Each structure stands twice: as structure tokens, then as C-alpha cells.
Amino acid sequence: MRISVIGCGYLGAVHAACMAKLGHDVVGIDVDSQKVAQLSGARAPFYEPELDALLTELEASGRLRFTTDMAAAAGCEVHFVCVGTPQKRGENAADLRFVDAAVAGLAGYLSPGDVVAGKSTVPVGTAERLAELIAETQPGATLLWNPEFLREGHAISDTLRPDRFVYGVPDGNEDHPAVAVLDQVYDAALSTGTPRLVMGYATAELVKTAANSFLATKISFINAMAEVCEATGADVSRLADAIGMDDRIGRKFLNAGIGFGGGCLPKDIRAFMARAGELGADQALTFLREVDAINMRRRTRVVELARELCGGSLLGQRVAVLGAAFKPESDDVRDSPALSAAAQLQLQGAVVTVTDPQALDNAAKRFPELPLEPELDAALDRADAVLLLTEWKQYRELDPHATRALVRVPRILDGRNVLDPAKWRAAGWTYRGLGRP
Ligand code: UDX
């Protein structure tokens, strides 16, 4: 099929490449000429494992190209809207400027029978409004809402082999001809039995925000348990292992630590609360305020623990921060708990050095005053305390004996609870975890 993808950020670039991988003929469209130039040279503007190789393969096949010209959408049968919906400055609500501009720009190039599939995460009610906008220009085109659940670091497999497809259709009508068109796009995954759920616009929009809210709540739940564990000397990791064995609870997303960050969970729960307020349903989501507060308290707790570890004062203490990205296998530093803690430590007088295998360029843009060091050994050199804040494999696998030879004082704060405390203590380290004795 001929497909256009509007917006070539994380979601769009991966989606465009994956659609071409499925055999479709794809054009990715973005207003950022630098991004388009990079993608056209088969280089992703962000780090995502295996994406560059996929871009190289598909650009060579002739099935994938990128442009800044919206006119390239003319003649495509399906148009995916993948632009960002960031948090508004100084407000909780989502900023819909980019979605509105993308749909307005696209509308003039649509033909009767075309399907526009919205993938961006939007406040409930947006699809209905955008459908009216499209109908004013091209009444023969149909808008579907087709949320995306991809995780950074696993974006390609999540797109090619999702857990489920969600189609929001006008009036929730499963027989709408646009459903068959989208089925054709996703035929490869559908034919292997991937479930596909058809529902109304509002439900489809809510599926995405509800899923992210649930994930955020699960993480904050276990982090709240970590606070209680800290007050009692209990171990939150063992607690998570035990409660996670109940199928109804499950062990995934029960890792206590410095909390969640990134470009999705924090802003999505805030936008959800803001939207519920507009709808007069704010009481239903007041618990998300607590979810957010628990998450933010973790960052403060890490700084407090680091101070304790350093004997009561951070002044002049050399602190090595391992990790800048909001999670491993990503160079994304948006709302990164690691960087936010590192900046606080520095403000409180510590001599901080941050290292990360992928995210230092982005970290430098966000926090130009934080000293960054690409070499792990150099970051550890003569440290008074080591803080593991993003659980990259190379940090999880650090050898306590070899590491001890590099630092000045063997103190480690495991902000993700991924190290074996017994092993580190046996090697002479003072070990602290979050919610662990
Ligand atoms: C998330 C959703 O998982 C995805 O479905 C949605 O489409 C976009 O938002 P992503 O932002 O890539 O994806 O990251 P995710 O893997 O969900 O992790 C989010 C944050 O939670 C990270 O900072 C991670 O470190 C943290 N986390 C995750 C925990 O603190 N504990 C856990 O047990 C799991």
C-alpha cells in the first residue's frame, strides 16, 4: 500500500521504517529539514537499537523515503499522524499545536477513500474534533484513531509485533470500510493472530492514556512500598518478587528505584488529569496526583541517601553518576530521573561527573553545566560515592573488586536496585539501595 507518515520523531521514524519493512511504499514527512536529511541518509536522529540498519535496508529497497514536502502525501491511501503532543509550558495539559497543524496541512492532499490514522497520544475528544476538520476539506476521507504502545529501546519489535491493535472508528462501527483498509496495512501481524479491537474514538484515545496511567501507578505503588520498607528495614525487591508471583499482579513494572521519567509517562498522566478536569471528572483521577508525587519524592530521596552515604554533607564530595538516559537502551533524557538527581547533587555542592553510553549529547543540551564524561573508568576515578541511576547492562555487570580499585571511597547507591548487595558488601563497599535494608 502507499503510506504517508506525518511527523518523523521517535514514533514516526520507527513507524515509517516498519511499514516499509512490511512491504508498503512509504514516505515520511516532517517539517524539520535537518531530521529529514539525517533520516534520508539512513541515520536516526536518536538512538534506537537496530533502527539505522533498518533504515539503510529499506531506503536501498526504494520503499522508504523522507521529505519536508506535505504534497508527497497526495496519492497515498493511508496517512499516519505521528507528531508529538508535549506538555504545555507551565501547564499540565497537552500541547496539540503539532497535531492540529499536521492534520490541517494534510487535509488538502487527501482523496476520497483515504484513511487518516492518528497515532499520537491525545486528550480524549481530539479525534472527534479532527474528524470534523478533515470532513470540511475532504468528506470522503476517514479518520481512525490507532494508538501506539511502543517502548523506546524496543520500538521496532513493538511496532512489528504489538500485543494488540486498537482501532477507534466513527460511531464505533466495526463494519466501517476504513477498518478493512487498516487491516490490510497490518496484515502480517493480524494473520499471526495479533488481537485487533475496534471501538469508538473516545475509548481508543482513552486506551492509551489509561495504559500509561496504569503503568505509572504500578511503578509508584512499588515505590510507595519502598518508602514503607525503608521505614521498617524490609526489602522491597523481595517483596516485589513475592507479590509478583500472583498472576493477577505480575512482576513486570514492579521495580522500585528512582522512578519513571521519559517523554511519555510523566506528561501523559498530567495531561490526563488536566483533561479529566475539563470534563468535570477530575475526582476520578486525583490518585494520579499522588502517583506523580510519589515518583518525584524518589528523586529527592536519592539525593538524601547520597548525602547520608557521604557522611552527612555533599560539599566537595566527588560523586560519579552512572546513567543520564531516562532508561537503558535509549539516549532520551526527557524528564530523566538520573539527570534531575545529578543536577540537585551539584546544586548542593557535590562535584558531580555524569557518564552514559548514549545520552551525553542530549544531556549536554539540557544541563550544560553538568560535567559529563564518556569513559566509565574516568567518571569513577577517585569518586567518594558512586550512584547507579540508569541500569545499563555495563553498570549492572560492574565488578565490585575492579571498580573499587578506581574510586577513592567504596560507597555505592543503587538507584535501580539491580546490584547484588551481598557481593558488593563482600568486596568492601558500603551499599545502599532504595527500599532495601
Ligand atoms: C512508555 C510505555 O511503556 C509505552 O507503552 C508507551 O507507548 C510510551 O511510554 P517508554 O517511555 O519508552 O514507554 O518507557 P518504559 O519502558 O515504559 O519506562 C518508563 C519509565 O519507567 C522509565 O524511566 C523506567 O526506568 C521506569 N520504570 C519502568 C521503573 O522505574 N520501574 C519499572 O519497573 C519499570
Side-chain angles (χ1 to χ4, degrees):
M1 301 183 82
R2 291 187 308 281
I3 290 178
S4 81
V5 176
I6 324 295
C8 297
Y10 217 105
L11 171 59
V14 172
H15 196 70
C18 289
M19 292 303 102
K21 179 74 182 169
L22 293 177
H24 304 300
D25 198 354
V26 182
V27 58
I29 305 171
D30 199 288
V31 290
D32 182 341
S33 55
Q34 212 182 333
K35 207 180 268 178
V36 165
Q38 266 179 287
L39 286 165
S40 301
R43 267 182 308 119
F46 48 82
Y47 173 73
E48 176 65 31
E50 285 155 49
L51 182 56
D52 284 359
L54 194 64
L55 290 168
T56 307
E57 173 196 327
L58 295 158
E59 286 176 24
S61 77
R63 289 202 307 275
L64 177 63
R65 68 192 177 91
F66 294 92
T67 177
T68 52
D69 186 4
M70 188 65 98
C76 292
E77 305 151 86
V78 180
H79 311 266
F80 287 102
V81 177
C82 296
V83 294
T85 50
Q87 190 175 336
K88 273 188 191 164
R89 241 173 229 279
E91 270 183 65
N92 273 349
D95 186 345
L96 296 177
R97 261 183 307 169
F98 306 111
V99 175
D100 290 350
V103 171
L106 173 66
Y109 296 104
L110 295 174
S111 308
D114 278 10
V115 172
V116 179
K119 294 199 89 59
S120 311
T121 302
V122 292
V124 57
T126 306
E128 181 102 51
R129 184 171 62 73
L130 295 175
E132 283 165 19
L133 199 108
I134 290 170
E136 282 168 20
T137 316
Q138 181 44 270
T142 305
L143 176 73
L144 297 189
W145 211 261
N146 175 219
E148 184 58 56
F149 305 96
L150 65 81
R151 294 160 301 166
E152 296 188 12
H154 305 269
I156 295 169
S157 57
D158 283 353
T159 306
L160 292 174
R161 290 176 293 281
D163 297 332
R164 74 298 205 188
F165 290 104
V166 171
Y167 298 1
V169 301
D171 307 321
N173 174 11
E174 188 146 359
D175 302 327
H176 196 291
V179 170
V181 176
L182 208 52
D183 279 353
Q184 227 178 309
V185 173
Y186 295 134
D187 182 54
L190 289 171
S191 60
T192 62
T194 307
R196 177 263 263 156
L197 294 113
V198 181
M199 55 194 74
Y201 283 151
T203 314
E205 291 166 315
L206 281 172
V207 167
K208 174 65 195 242
T209 25
N212 276 357
S213 299
F214 190 85
L215 294 173
T217 303
K218 210 171 170 192
I219 299 169
S220 277
F221 173 82
I222 201 66
N223 280 330
M225 293 305 109
E227 290 186 14
V228 180
C229 286
E230 274 160 27
T232 59
D235 185 334
V236 74
S237 295
R238 302 301 291 152
L239 176 100
D241 291 342
I243 64 171
M245 281 176 190
D246 183 330
D247 279 350
R248 293 168 303 173
I249 297 172
R251 181 64 179 81
K252 288 180 187 164
F253 268 68
L254 274 188
N255 296 321
I258 188 173
F260 60 81
C264 293
L265 299 191
K267 71 131 173 114
D268 286 351
I269 61 169
R270 291 173 194 151
F272 199 16
M273 283 186 270
R275 185 64 184 134
E278 288 166 7
L279 295 166
D282 40 346
Q283 234 186 340
L285 298 188
T286 43
F287 76 96
L288 286 178
R289 212 180 310 153
E290 198 52 42
V291 165
D292 204 353
I294 294 167
N295 193 50
M296 288 304 166
R297 277 208 298 276
R298 292 285 83 190
R299 301 178 185 191
T300 322
R301 181 70 186 137
V302 160
V303 177
E304 272 169 20
L305 272 178
R307 187 184 300 105
E308 275 176 32
L309 200 59
C310 291
S313 168
L314 286 164
L315 276 180
Q317 295 285 310
R318 293 172 66 91
V319 176
V321 170
L322 312 189
F326 84 103
K327 68 171 191 182
E329 298 303 324
S330 168
D331 66 352
D332 196 342
V333 299
R334 283 176 295 171
D335 207 354
S336 163
L339 278 185
S340 132
Q344 263 307 315
L345 289 163
Q346 191 185 39
L347 281 174
Q348 298 192 22
V351 182
V352 176
T353 306
V354 180
T355 187
D356 189 286
Q358 291 293 343
L360 293 189
D361 288 349
N362 286 337
K365 284 180 212 146
R366 291 243 162 177
F367 290 91
E369 271 137 45
L370 266 182
L372 307 173
E373 169 53 61
E375 294 302 324
L376 175 58
D377 284 5
L380 291 166
D381 183 40
R382 288 173 292 131
D384 294 302
V386 179
L387 269 55
L388 194 167
L389 299 186
T390 311
E391 68 279 32
W392 286 94
K393 188 164 180 280
Q394 49 269 59
Y395 306 155
R396 289 198 311 261
E397 291 176 351
L398 271 177
D399 174 51
H401 293 283
T403 312
R404 196 182 162 178
L406 299 170
V407 300
R408 198 178 71 81
V409 190
R411 299 166 174 149
I412 186 149
L413 172 52
D414 180 3
R416 295 288 184 174
N417 292 338
V418 287
L419 303 175
D420 177 354
K423 212 165 114 188
W424 283 75
R425 285 185 180 129
W429 288 76
T430 305
Y431 171 95
R432 293 298 302 264
L434 287 168
R436 292 174 121 180

